[in-house]
Amino acid sequence: MFEFLDLPRGIATASVADFWVGVTVAAVIALGGFVLAFYYFSRSRLMEDIPTSRVRSAAQGFVELEGMAEVMKGDPIVSPLTGAECAWYRFKVEKHVRSGRHNRWRTVDKGVSDALFLLRDATGICVIDPEGASVTPHQKLVWYGHNERPSHAPQRATPWYLQLGGSRYRYTEERLLPGWPLYAMGLFRTVGGANEVNNTSDEVRDLLADWKANPRELVQRFDRDGDGQVDMNEWQRARGVALAEVRDRQRERARQPGAHTLAQPGDRHPFLLSAKSQQELGTRFRWYAVSGLFAFFLIGGGAIWALTLRFA
């Protein structure tokens, strides 16, 4: 209490350099709080304004989906530190470093999964490309050890106060788990099927190039006058046959079901993958925004008060 009451005298008697450093730091923190508030308020409003889509009927473009995380067929996705199978992971290994009187954790290894996985709802499945996503995981484990790679995989996070005993390494692993709920917001596209945009001229050119690569077969197929060459008229017929084949292929592809994908938008829209529901995530974002506004008004007001006190 005494130090707080003595604060006005400290501001008034501080050196010019110390005063302006303090005011600048306070202004930067206040500005950061305002930016943080704007960022999270906009995210929260965006989530409220965009209706949740179904995979089967989602429009092409920016959407939000809710379903269950699943892994694709093939090689499993395995988290590096615990060896657990998952849909997505992020990990970090830090080493405890002592420099003089200061202790800190220095990152020595880290990584994040970029393997594709699935989101399934009642209407279909969507392939998730997690590269560039902001992820809120289902599970986060933090534990400690004496080697750069952990010798064991904990079943749950280890409280930090139980590890005060000279552990040199700290391990952090986050995972999205198959069979657990998943909220996603990003760029939705359907590849193949009736939604596929065909480039007929390019496909015809590529097919003719394939035929040219095997001249003997090309001559056998299109040399009608038997001179051992494909003349101009015969080449035009070859082009017509190639066009017909390409259109047959396009019709066949259109009859196949398209593959739905969700990936990072190319604009400023967010790409979110979250174990939290839309409501939970929106509440978290609003609390972050309120905290930013609180820092803006409190610390910014303190900087203005200090300026007024100094120069009034």
Side-chain angles (χ1 to χ4, degrees):
M1 177 66 71
F2 176 78
E3 291 181 356
F4 178 78
L5 294 176
D6 201 44
L7 185 59
R9 179 189 300 176
I11 292 174
T13 59
S15 67
V16 174
D18 289 344
F19 174 79
W20 284 112
V21 167
V23 169
T24 301
V25 170
V28 170
I29 295 175
L31 180 61
F34 180 81
V35 172
L36 188 74
F38 177 80
Y39 175 83
Y40 282 110
F41 267 133
S42 63
R43 288 288 176 92
S44 177
R45 286 302 305 271
L46 182 63
M47 293 174 62
E48 294 171 358
D49 292 342
I50 296 181
T52 303
S53 300
R54 296 284 193 172
V55 170
R56 183 173 59 191
S57 57
Q60 303 296 294
F62 187 71
V63 303
E64 69 173 23
L65 304 171
E66 287 185 324
M68 307 294 287
E70 289 189 5
V71 295
M72 301 180 69
K73 294 180 180 179
D75 295 335
I77 302 172
V78 178
S79 53
L81 300 184
T82 62
E85 293 188 13
C86 58
W88 173 92
Y89 64 80
R90 179 169 55 209
F91 77 94
K92 180 168 61 174
V93 178
E94 299 168 283
K95 183 177 182 179
H96 187 255
V97 178
R98 178 171 296 176
S99 177
R101 297 182 178 180
H102 303 286
N103 296 319
R104 63 186 181 90
W105 292 99
R106 178 172 60 86
T107 300
V108 295
D109 193 12
K110 62 180 180 179
V112 60
S113 172
D114 60 359
L116 305 179
F117 63 96
L118 303 176
L119 179 147
R120 181 187 294 272
D121 68 9
T123 67
I125 59 174
C126 178
V127 179
I128 305 293
D129 180 355
E131 185 174 358
S134 174
V135 181
T136 303
H138 293 117
Q139 191 175 58
K140 179 177 180 179
L141 296 175
V142 180
W143 72 106
Y144 300 78
H146 299 280
N147 303 303
E148 186 168 329
R149 285 290 169 171
S151 57
H152 67 284
Q155 298 301 314
R156 58 186 179 85
T158 306
W160 66 270
Y161 54 82
L162 296 180
Q163 295 295 333
L164 298 179
S167 296
R168 296 183 58 199
Y169 291 92
R170 179 168 64 188
Y171 318 107
T172 303
E173 187 171 274
E174 301 168 283
R175 299 194 294 258
L176 290 177
L177 303 176
W180 288 47
L182 180 66
Y183 169 82
M185 177 181 282
L187 181 64
F188 184 86
R189 286 284 183 263
T190 301
V191 181
N195 292 288
E196 183 176 4
V197 178
N198 297 308
N199 191 325
T200 303
S201 61
D202 285 351
E203 290 186 55
V204 170
R205 184 186 66 244
D206 293 342
L207 181 57
L208 289 172
D210 290 340
W211 290 350
K212 283 183 178 181
N214 193 339
R216 179 178 299 178
E217 184 176 334
L218 182 66
V219 169
Q220 290 177 351
R221 186 173 182 184
F222 296 106
D223 180 20
R224 310 193 77 178
D225 57 15
D227 63 355
Q229 296 181 350
V230 178
D231 59 26
M232 184 62 67
N233 291 331
E234 292 164 343
W235 183 248
Q236 289 302 320
R237 178 175 174 272
R239 289 182 60 85
V241 173
L243 178 60
E245 288 193 20
V246 164
R247 286 177 174 169
D248 286 343
R249 294 178 184 180
Q250 291 173 348
R251 284 190 290 268
E252 180 61 28
R253 292 200 301 265
R255 286 192 288 267
Q256 302 299 320
H260 306 299
T261 65
L262 193 78
Q264 183 177 23
D267 52 20
R268 295 184 178 180
H269 282 92
F271 183 26
L272 305 178
L273 301 174
S274 174
K276 304 290 185 182
S277 68
Q278 177 184 358
Q279 292 75 21
E280 292 175 301
L281 202 59
T283 299
R284 174 182 292 188
F285 285 171
R286 285 190 291 273
W287 272 111
Y288 288 164
V290 169
S291 299
L293 279 180
F294 180 78
F296 172 72
F297 285 113
L298 180 66
I299 300 177
I304 294 173
W305 173 71
L307 288 169
T308 303
L309 188 67
R310 181 89 175 198
F311 296 106

